[in-house]
Amino acid sequence: TNATRPEAGQQAPAFNLAFFDGYEWNGKTAASLDEMNGQVVVMNFWASWCVECRVETDDLEAAWQKYADQGVVFVGVAYSDVEPKSIEYMEEFDVTFPHAPDLGTRISKDYEITGVPETFIIDQNGEIAHVQIGPISSSTLDSVIGQLLARGG
C-alpha cells in the first residue's frame, strides 16, 4: 500500500472547491477545507458514468437532509466528468448538497482515490475519521457522523 494515501487519523489534505452553478455552500460559490473547520465534512468522489455511484446517491442526499443543520457539510466532487453530465446526474437524483468539479483531478490526486465512488469523512478538526471505498451506506453514515457529533469536535 502507498504510505502517502490519506488514512483515518491523519490530517485531511487541504482543498479548494468552486461549486457547480446553483450548488452553493453557506451562500458561497467556492469554499476550502479550512473554511469548513469545526464541521464534520463528508466528501464524496463520484462521476455521472459511475454505475456504483447510483447505489449511494439517494443515501447521501438523505443523510445531508438529516444532518445539514447539525454542523455537517456534504460535498460531492465530480471526478473525470463533463459538467453537463454531472449536472444531469444531480438533477436526476434531486441532489441538493454542494457539488464541484475536480478540475485537473487535483483533489483526487491529493486524496489518492482508487476509483469512484469513494468517500472521506473528516472530523471537526480536519482529521480523516473514515475512508469508504465503494458505495457508502446510510448505516455507515449514521454511525460515523453520529460518533463525531457526539464527540463534539
Side-chain angles (χ1 to χ4, degrees):
T1 56
N2 190 334
T4 59
R5 181 181 155 81
E7 288 173 16
Q10 296 179 341
Q11 277 299 119
F15 60 75
N16 289 289
L17 298 167
F19 300 121
F20 288 117
D21 283 351
Y23 292 87
E24 298 179 347
W25 175 66
N26 272 4
K28 295 180 179 169
T29 56
S32 65
L33 180 58
D34 280 352
E35 290 173 83
M36 297 174 179
N37 204 27
Q39 314 241 1
V40 173
V41 179
V42 179
M43 188 163 65
N44 174 246
F45 290 92
W46 67 284
S48 63
W49 45 261
C50 157
V51 177
E52 279 202 304
C53 294
R54 305 184 85 82
V55 174
E56 63 172 9
T57 303
D58 286 336
D59 287 348
L60 285 161
E61 175 64 22
W64 159 249
Q65 298 283 353
K66 180 173 176 180
Y67 295 110
D69 56 359
Q70 295 182 46
V72 183
V73 191
F74 279 64
V75 286
V77 179
Y79 170 76
S80 287
D81 210 350
V82 289
E83 185 161 340
K85 287 205 159 78
S86 298
I87 289 170
E88 205 175 278
Y89 181 98
M90 293 184 290
E91 286 173 350
E92 177 187 340
F93 283 94
D94 290 325
V95 170
T96 62
F97 60 95
H99 278 71
D102 187 8
L103 301 170
T105 63
R106 279 195 301 266
I107 304 169
S108 23
K109 282 188 187 117
D110 286 345
Y111 279 78
E112 298 204 25
I113 68 166
T114 52
V116 280
E118 219 169 288
T119 302
F120 291 80
I121 302 180
I122 301 165
D123 75 8
Q124 294 94 326
N125 307 312
E127 273 188 14
I128 294 171
H130 181 82
V131 181
Q132 178 73 40
I133 297 185
I136 196 161
S137 64
S138 335
S139 58
T140 302
L141 286 162
D142 283 340
S143 149
V144 180
I145 294 168
Q147 282 167 21
L148 293 176
L149 291 177
R151 224 174 61 191

